Amino acid sequence: IMTTHHIDAITTETPLGAFVMLVHAGVVRASGFTTVTELRLRLPRELQEIEPTHVPYHPFENFVKQYFEGNLAAISNIPHHQSGGDFYDSVWAAMSRIEPGHTLSYKQLAQQSTNPKAIRAVGTACGKIRIVLIVPCHMIIKRDGGVGTYLYGSSIKKQLLDHESSCRDNDRISPSLPKYKPTARWRL
């Protein structure tokens, strides 16, 4: 088995600031609205020692740009990997099945994972996401429709939710899902 000792650092400018992806063996292993230096600390330990190489262009950038231009599903085309054990993996898989532009409460996410009563543990799993935006942890909101917390701040989470709300087809919203109430909208 050949192991690659190379990580591409991809930075895409967005309306919310720089969005960075760290790619190892053709797969995003960490992403977020932060610096390469900070994001590197979120990589699995075995990859933290590898110095990322900044690349001037990478095809994954197109998917991020398409997302911010209104094609919410484009982000799901980016290959990614994070493992954290059976429970976390089940929570992250359930999160990845949320339709673009929709939300789930922490309780609803727990019900879709392997342990429906583990609401607090679901919150912890959300906090351990290394692949922000691509795994849509921002779509998990409080039962009362409040934004809740987010690694890069509630303001960025709120802006992502506002963007998705303005892009989605309102007729497809399930009445059983908590509905996030958008405020100001932004454009590219």
Side-chain angles (χ1 to χ4, degrees), residues 76-135:
S76 65
N77 292 315
I78 299 174
H80 58 278
H81 175 74
Q82 177 176 343
S83 60
D86 292 343
F87 176 72
Y88 285 171
D89 289 350
S90 76
V91 171
W92 299 332
M95 217 180 286
S96 293
R97 289 190 298 269
I98 302 170
E99 281 190 51
H102 292 85
T103 57
L104 287 181
S105 69
Y106 290 95
K107 181 178 181 179
Q108 288 171 318
L109 183 59
Q111 291 167 344
Q112 292 185 19
S113 70
T114 57
N115 190 343
K117 294 182 179 178
I119 298 167
R120 285 183 187 236
V122 161
T124 301
C126 290
K128 291 191 179 287
I129 291 289
R130 293 185 186 122
I131 309 164
V132 171
L133 188 62
I134 301 166
V135 176

Side-chain angles (χ1 to χ4, degrees), residues 13 18 26 69 74-75 77-78 82 106 117 122 138 159 170 182 185 188:
E13 287 304 319
E69 290 168 355
I75 207 85
N77 292 315
I78 299 174
Q82 177 176 343
Y106 290 95
K117 294 182 179 178
V122 161
H138 64 280
Q159 290 177 74
N170 288 321
R185 295 193 174 147
L188 285 175

Side-chain angles (χ1 to χ4, degrees), residues 141-155:
I141 62 174
K142 296 166 85 176
R143 184 178 52 201
D144 66 5
V147 173
T149 60
Y150 191 61
L151 178 63
Y152 299 108
S154 59
S155 175

